[in-house]
Amino acid sequence: MITIISTLVMVQITIACVTVYLHRGQAHKGLTFNLVLEHCIRFWLWLTTGMVTQQWVAIHRKHHRFDDAEGDPHSPHVFGIWTVFFKGALLYTEAAKDKQMIRQYGVGTPDDWIEHNLYTKYNFLGIFLMLIVDLYLFQLWGFVVWGIQMIWIPLWAAGVVNGFGHWWGYRNKDTQDFSRNLTPWAIWIGGEELHNNHHAEPGNPKLSRRWFEFDIGWFYIKILEKLNLAQIRQ
Ligand SMILES: [Zn+2]
Ligand SMILES: [Zn+2]
């Protein structure tokens, strides 16, 4: 039981870091973070995802730039819904190979010593360390816990949000793209379920718009703001 709860807590922390830090903070500059907290988030993302901030940000900004048209790195209307759902992580890896694009679209991301010499240079070392930690904490179950952690972002972010978030659900705003809100209560994928709301106003770190919608990512941001750990950009 404790293993299941610990796993759920860890994957929810990871998804919170992705939506609040990588997406709303880094890619869209909707908020800034306390320096110590930012380093903790970057360390956690390195341990649990192995994703490079500049790559993530660049690919995501390119997605907004081309918005379901040719050039969008992971649109289901370009690649097909099942390709994005099952192979979303591969599309990401493919897009990340374009170094010129990563530099062009990835401006303003962390550019310090630890980014270059650890997080980017040895991006897969983090997930290997995580496996060791999981095996220490959960013994043989550690392999299962680690497997769930590794599949979490490729499945829910690259697969469900990038795929179904442009395919299935309701729309509040008639945007140029095909973005959709998957569920009004956005608690499982950190608030990213409200994807049509996001495409209508990418710079707004709050993703809920209507009275019945709830964005858990915004709830986290308000707590961080109260604790003086984050600042929302107006
Ligand atoms: Zn989108
Ligand atoms: Zn976005």
Side-chain angles (χ1 to χ4, degrees):
M1 192 64 190
I2 189 81
T3 307
I4 296 171
I5 293 170
S6 310
T7 310
L8 275 177
V9 169
M10 287 196 293
V11 292
Q12 284 302 333
I13 292 174
T14 303
I15 209 108
C17 291
V18 170
T19 180
V20 170
Y21 177 71
L22 283 183
H23 189 199
R24 309 181 203 201
Q26 285 289 313
H28 296 295
K29 301 292 176 199
L31 68 156
T32 53
F33 295 84
N34 164 284
L35 217 66
V36 177
L37 174 68
E38 184 169 349
H39 274 285
C40 292
I41 294 174
R42 288 169 63 192
F43 179 65
W44 181 254
L45 286 171
W46 178 66
L47 281 181
T48 56
T49 70
M51 298 190 302
V52 175
T53 301
Q54 190 191 31
Q55 290 176 359
W56 195 98
V57 165
I59 293 165
H60 184 71
R61 285 177 183 161
K62 195 175 180 221
H63 164 61
H64 279 274
R65 165 72 180 76
F66 289 93
D67 247 0
D68 282 326
E70 203 62 43
D72 186 326
H74 48 63
S75 168
H77 298 274
V78 175
F79 296 97
I81 180 65
W82 297 113
T83 302
V84 177
F85 180 70
F86 287 112
K87 297 180 184 169
L90 287 178
L91 293 174
Y92 176 93
T93 313
E94 203 52 45
K97 286 179 185 164
D98 187 347
K99 301 277 179 265
Q100 163 62 26
M101 182 280 282
I102 299 296
R103 271 194 300 275
Q104 185 192 339
Y105 283 89
V107 288
T109 49
D111 192 24
D112 49 15
W113 186 91
I114 197 165
E115 189 62 43
H116 294 290
N117 294 288
L118 186 64
Y119 297 155
T120 300
K121 195 171 181 185
Y122 301 109
N123 64 318
F124 288 113
L125 180 64
I127 51 180
F128 176 69
L129 287 178
M130 191 74 232
L131 175 63
I132 294 171
V133 172
D134 283 338
L135 289 173
Y136 174 76
L137 291 175
F138 309 106
Q139 291 78 51
L140 272 183
W141 280 106
F143 282 113
V144 180
V145 173
W146 186 79
I148 292 170
Q149 283 182 291
M150 292 306 113
I151 197 78
W152 208 258
I153 297 300
L155 172 67
W156 294 104
V160 175
V161 175
N162 290 351
F164 289 104
H166 281 259
W167 197 266
W168 184 86
Y170 70 97
R171 281 161 74 84
N172 283 333
K173 280 270 160 60
D174 191 18
T175 53
Q176 295 276 330
D177 52 70
F178 295 96
S179 60
R180 309 214 158 228
N181 294 326
L182 291 166
T183 53
W185 277 63
I187 51 174
W188 187 250
I189 323 179
E192 294 289 332
E193 292 94 327
L194 294 162
H195 203 62
N196 170 247
N197 292 352
H198 170 59
H199 270 271
E201 273 180 89
N204 188 345
K206 183 184 181 191
L207 306 190
S208 56
R209 296 288 177 273
R210 297 169 74 181
W211 66 268
F212 55 85
E213 292 173 341
F214 177 73
D215 163 20
I216 199 165
W218 181 248
F219 175 73
Y220 297 146
I221 289 169
K222 292 307 278 182
I223 293 173
L224 293 178
E225 190 192 34
K226 284 216 160 52
L227 296 171
N228 252 327
L229 293 172
Q231 238 183 339
I232 298 158
R233 289 219 173 125
Q234 297 308 326

